[in-house]
Amino acid sequence: MAILLFAAGVCGLQSLSALPPAAVLAGCAGLSTAAAVAAFHQRRRSPVTASLLLGVAAICSGFLWAAWRAEIRLADELPAAWEGRDVVLRGRVADLPQQLEEGVRFGFRVEAVVPAQAGATPQVPEDIQLSWYHPRPRSTAAAAEVVATGAGQEGEDLEAEAMPSRAGELWQLRVRLKRPHGFVNPNGFDYEAWLLQRGTRATGYVRSSADNRLLAPDGGGFLAWVHGLRGTVRDRFLAALPDGPYAGVLVALVVGDQRAIPNAQWDVFRNTGITHLVAISGMHVSLFALLAGSAVALAWRRLPWLALRLPARKAAAVAALAGGVTYGLLAGLGLPVQRALVMLAVLAVAWMLGREVAPSRVLALALLGVLLADPWAVLAPGFWLSFGAVATILLVASGRLGVKRGGWRAATRLQLGITLTLLPALLALFQSFSVVAPLANAVAIPAISFLVTPLALLAAALPVEALLHLAHWLLAMTMIPVNWLAASPWALWQQAVPPLALIVAGTGATAVLLLPRGAGGKLAALAVLFALLSWRPARPQEGEFWLTVLDLGNGLSVHLQTARHDLLYDAGPPYGPAADAGSRVVLPYLAGLGVQRLDLLLLSHDDMDHIGGAGAVLAGMQVDAAMASETLPLLATTGLPLRRCAAGMNWSWDGVAFEVLHPQAGQAPARRNNDDSCVLRIRGAGGSALLVGDIEARTEAALVGRFGDTLASELIVVAHHGSRSSSTARFVDSVLPEAALFSSGYRNPYGHPHPAVWARWQEAGARNWRTDEQGGLIARMGRNGLAVEAVRESRPRYWHGR
């Protein structure tokens, strides 16, 4: 129990918006010490009191441990004054370089900052992440990376020769860095938390310079050698299976590098609930350790002179731990692997000491070990899923839930138990769970765990391509029924993120449902589970609308909700050849709200920062109709009802009126397509809003000439991300909004929003909001007027902006 309370203290710290001041931490330390001392003195007189005091000490200790680690990690930072400035660094490639179509991305451990001829030497974090692009002029892909990262290439070609190819290489590089920054949206992925957990305290890109050179081709110690070995295995697998559709999966199973797995395969794994088999999980590590330990024990018993010196059981424990560590190193020591290794270490030490350790105690000690090593592990979905799955296995396998026999019935109950127990967590973390997971796992677990993975590991150890081809063939055969299950329309249950109280209640209900027959409370548990699965989030009332400007870089995507309808205005930018705002931001955001269909997708014009994510949106959810101001090939091939956006078009949803103000039918095309943007006005019971795309001065003047002061609106999403080419004084004076919302990327190379434009809207009486500093912006137009919420401000975390 003390370890669980220690974990609660860690979770408490990770939920804070700011780290506590020193006085609070000192008070917490004093309380922890006093409670521990009092518990020691009360252990015989009042065991209950002693337990309560020990619990207080455990919570405070977990809180203090996480706070201390956070202070240390956040202190290793890049000063804001050095963002976007050239710095020459010496250091080593810290992990497997990721080959991209546009270059290479790699972790870099800084060993020294090369002093400039004049000026101060900056403080640079020890661990950073760098991208190095192939030389080419500015193009769509390069611009997309700029939009996604906020790091400008400033129109120059970047050095391509002799890019990093393996871990341990010593380089001198001229780079530009920025502090950790990611998109912050409702129910979105927290990239800044992900970087913090991995200790990456700055990101950036390599500049073209004569300073860039390889200083030493290898070195960096044991871990660098391991990463180099992993890279060799990866390259050999991919070269041996150039056309193998599942070559990336085999690489992932052996060395933990999942980047060669196509997105379509990830969709199959998610829809069937077998993602845990593709990632190197605790099950893989435990299986390999079991094989290693069993092999050593079998040989040991046949050599009496060895068995007399060390019992076979203890030798097997050492071998199992050594095998698990070896596989873990080859797999890259990811978080699931670390958790499994902690459990193995606890068991191995217990066996070496000749002691029996209860499985629940092993799990608790593993939890403690993980949190001591990584107090940010509680931010990772895998932490909750893996410990939840192991806890369920222990309960079922122990017979406490009525399972006392082996065989297929026990295995079936175990699989169903895991699926049921993790259901609330999956809804909370991913807004979905696989309905077909028990069937898919029944097929995939034996094949992948006991056939494919051992063969792939054997192929890594022995340069025999036949082993690799056999493993690939077996995997392809396994995936035939799995693909069939994934294609069924009922494979995946999706819904909005339930509230925390309902998630906790649902978790308790699943535990009750696993109790043996005759146990009480099952009807109540079913009622709770039904409430969990039927929960739907609130929507606007009749005549009201909500508008969300998503934080997705220097692009635009706006989601608009009425009581029963959903409209998406633009879909954001591309982030490179394999990623875009549609898949990374828009679809997860809509899934978190429980939106499974769009009544209308409206694309304002054909600039990539507005339509780059549209393909993913169209592929990822049902869209009933589309509208655009231009002929877009992307929409022409969908077969959707397609309308040309033109002034005068109007419709009404749920008491909310929609009117297209621009472009005018028959109007000559603008010199720049920004001026052909579809301008949409939305009017509800509490006021109106304007979505104006990227219109510039010419169109603004035309709108003022046609509508004059009737353009006045409570809210506007400012044109062209706040560019100087838009937001003319006459237009601003005609709109006079309460709130002006800017969609712009962090440190974008265009300088959006321009200070003069920002000031112009402020002087007109608007309160300005911006996505790059405040995250996603949620505007609610109700009968009582307008209310705007910024996600970074309403749901802050202590690492945001750090």
Side-chain angles (χ1 to χ4, degrees):
M1 182 56 70
I3 292 176
L4 292 178
L5 293 174
F6 180 91
V10 172
C11 291
L13 188 281
Q14 305 302 358
S15 66
L16 294 182
S17 59
L19 291 179
V24 172
L25 295 178
C28 190
L31 178 61
S32 177
T33 302
V37 171
F40 177 78
H41 289 293
Q42 291 287 331
R43 70 188 188 281
R44 291 182 180 174
R45 261 185 277 173
S46 178
V48 174
T49 302
S51 297
L52 292 174
L53 290 169
L54 187 61
V56 171
I59 292 175
C60 292
S61 297
F63 187 86
L64 286 168
W65 174 253
W68 179 63
R69 292 288 305 276
E71 290 281 5
I72 293 174
R73 185 156 290 183
L74 291 180
D76 186 24
E77 65 178 357
L78 177 73
W82 280 93
E83 285 189 293
R85 297 171 62 178
D86 282 11
V87 182
V88 179
L89 305 175
R90 288 188 187 134
R92 294 189 182 274
V93 179
D95 58 12
L96 277 177
Q98 180 185 2
Q99 300 298 326
L100 309 171
E101 288 189 27
E102 63 268 27
V104 64
R105 183 175 295 129
F106 53 97
F108 194 68
R109 175 151 291 184
V110 178
E111 295 184 354
V113 180
V114 179
Q117 293 183 351
T121 301
Q123 171 191 337
V124 176
E126 183 179 16
D127 290 301
I128 62 178
Q129 178 179 282
L130 295 174
S131 298
W132 197 346
Y133 302 101
H134 295 306
R136 58 184 175 185
R138 289 295 290 267
S139 64
T140 299
E145 183 68 19
V146 168
V147 170
T149 63
Q153 298 180 41
E154 302 192 356
E156 63 182 316
D157 291 344
L158 299 179
E159 185 64 46
E161 291 77 17
M163 288 183 174
S165 60
R166 59 185 290 118
E169 294 176 343
L170 180 65
W171 284 84
Q172 177 174 286
L173 300 172
R174 179 176 291 273
V175 303
R176 279 192 177 178
L177 300 175
K178 65 172 183 174
R179 293 154 69 91
H181 187 89
F183 308 138
V184 178
N185 292 293
N187 307 309
F189 175 67
D190 194 334
Y191 181 62
E192 293 172 48
W194 185 84
L195 290 174
L196 179 71
Q197 185 180 5
R198 283 151 181 77
T200 302
R201 300 297 297 129
T203 62
Y205 64 97
V206 180
R207 299 264 287 169
S208 177
S209 172
D211 292 319
N212 300 334
R213 58 180 180 271
L214 177 65
L215 302 178
D218 51 31
F222 175 71
L223 284 180
W225 176 82
V226 170
H227 284 310
L229 178 62
R230 295 174 64 221
T232 300
V233 172
R234 176 190 65 183
D235 295 343
R236 182 160 63 84
F237 275 32
L238 295 177
L241 298 167
D243 301 318
Y246 298 106
V249 177
L250 295 179
V251 170
L253 288 172
V254 174
V255 301
D257 186 358
Q258 303 171 355
R259 292 169 291 197
I261 301 176
N263 289 333
Q265 290 182 10
W266 281 119
D267 291 338
V268 170
F269 303 148
R270 180 175 68 98
N271 290 352
T272 55
I274 65 168
T275 304
H276 64 100
L277 293 175
V278 178
I280 295 181
S281 62
M283 184 174 68
H284 291 113
V285 175
S286 301
L287 176 63
F288 188 83
L290 178 63
L291 291 174
S294 299
V296 168
L298 185 64
W300 208 268
R301 291 189 179 96
R302 283 160 175 73
L303 298 172
W305 61 276
L306 285 176
L308 290 173
R309 287 168 174 80
L310 183 69
R313 185 181 183 187
K314 294 184 177 182
V318 174
L321 182 59
V325 170
T326 300
Y327 187 22
L329 287 169
L330 185 63
L333 285 178
L335 292 177
V337 174
Q338 294 175 24
R339 290 189 285 272
L341 290 180
V342 171
M343 293 185 191
L344 278 175
V346 171
L347 283 173
V349 170
W351 286 345
M352 289 295 293
L353 296 176
R355 300 185 62 181
E356 294 290 340
V357 183
S360 59
R361 187 158 296 183
V362 173
L363 186 62
L365 290 173
L367 174 64
L368 178 63
V370 167
L371 294 179
L372 289 176
D374 179 15
W376 299 278
V378 297
L379 302 175
F383 171 87
W384 301 97
L385 297 179
S386 62
F387 275 104
V390 173
T392 303
I393 291 171
L394 293 179
L395 283 172
V396 174
S398 66
R400 295 179 184 177
L401 301 183
V403 180
K404 298 182 179 179
R405 298 179 182 176
W408 67 270
R409 291 187 179 181
T412 301
R413 185 173 175 87
L414 178 61
Q415 184 58 49
L416 290 173
I418 293 174
T419 301
L420 183 64
T421 304
L422 297 184
L423 187 152
L426 290 170
L427 288 178
L429 297 168
F430 304 112
Q431 303 86 56
S432 64
F433 65 90
S434 174
V435 177
V436 300
L439 291 175
N441 278 278
V443 173
I445 287 178
I448 294 178
S449 298
F450 298 104
L451 295 176
V452 175
T453 301
L455 279 171
L457 287 169
L458 194 58
L462 302 174
V464 180
E465 287 193 9
L467 293 172
L468 197 55
H469 286 283
L470 177 58
H472 187 273
W473 179 82
L474 287 171
L475 181 57
M477 292 300 101
T478 302
M479 291 305 297
I480 291 175
V482 171
N483 283 321
W484 179 81
L485 289 170
S488 62
W490 39 268
L492 195 69
W493 176 279
Q494 294 179 289
Q495 70 174 75
V497 178
L500 179 60
L502 195 51
I503 293 168
V504 173
T507 302
T510 59
V512 171
L513 290 174
L514 286 177
L515 293 175
R517 292 179 183 177
K522 293 201 172 185
L523 285 178
L526 285 172
V528 171
L529 200 58
F530 177 78
L532 176 69
L533 295 176
S534 60
W535 185 85
R536 297 292 181 269
R539 292 184 66 98
Q541 298 296 315
E542 192 80 13
E544 300 179 349
F545 66 88
W546 296 347
L547 181 153
T548 301
V549 180
L550 293 173
D551 178 17
L552 40 63
N554 212 63
L556 181 66
S557 184
V558 181
H559 174 229
L560 192 138
Q561 276 191 315
T562 65
R564 292 176 295 277
H565 292 79
D566 291 271
L567 180 151
L568 187 70
Y569 183 96
D570 288 339
Y575 298 144
D580 55 57
S583 59
R584 294 285 178 86
V585 179
V586 179
L587 288 176
Y589 156 78
L590 293 174
L593 287 181
V595 177
Q596 298 184 15
R597 57 180 286 275
L598 292 172
D599 296 276
L600 179 64
L601 172 63
L602 196 163
L603 300 179
S604 63
H605 62 303
D606 72 350
D607 278 3
M608 289 304 295
D609 58 331
H610 292 252
I611 68 168
V617 172
L618 289 165
M621 73 183 321
Q622 178 185 341
V623 178
D624 291 345
M627 181 184 295
S629 62
E630 304 167 78
T631 302
L632 299 179
L634 172 71
L635 296 178
T637 59
T638 61
L640 292 174
L642 177 60
R643 291 178 288 173
R644 189 72 174 263
C645 190
M649 298 177 65
N650 61 83
W651 66 95
S652 178
W653 286 341
D654 311 320
V656 177
F658 295 79
E659 181 184 5
V660 176
L661 305 184
H662 183 81
Q664 288 185 284
Q667 175 180 292
R671 182 176 61 85
R672 297 178 60 182
N673 70 341
N674 287 343
D675 274 319
D676 287 329
S677 294
C678 186
V679 176
L680 182 67
R681 176 161 56 189
I682 308 103
R683 286 177 169 168
S688 62
L690 277 176
L691 304 179
V692 295
D694 278 355
I695 62 170
E696 299 185 346
R698 168 189 163 180
T699 297
E700 289 183 349
L703 288 171
V704 172
R706 289 168 51 210
F707 298 99
D709 292 342
T710 62
L711 281 174
S713 299
E714 282 69 23
L715 179 145
I716 186 171
V717 178
V718 176
H720 206 180
H721 323 293
S723 166
R724 282 187 301 175
S725 62
S726 308
S727 299
T728 58
R730 285 187 63 203
F731 183 74
V732 171
D733 289 341
S734 296
V735 178
L736 291 177
E738 295 178 24
L741 279 53
F742 293 78
S743 177
S744 54
Y746 181 70
R747 296 190 57 81
N748 68 85
Y750 314 106
H752 296 158
H754 193 275
V757 172
W758 183 269
R760 194 172 297 146
W761 287 104
Q762 268 190 333
E763 291 165 1
R767 179 178 177 183
N768 290 345
W769 304 76
R770 54 192 297 172
T771 57
D772 57 341
E773 294 183 357
Q774 296 171 291
L777 305 173
I778 306 170
R780 294 181 173 90
M781 192 73 73
R783 296 184 184 277
N784 296 324
L786 173 66
V788 181
E789 171 191 342
V791 179
R792 275 187 184 266
E793 295 172 358
S794 63
R795 307 163 203 181
R797 289 294 181 267
Y798 70 81
W799 54 82
H800 285 167
R802 300 287 301 274

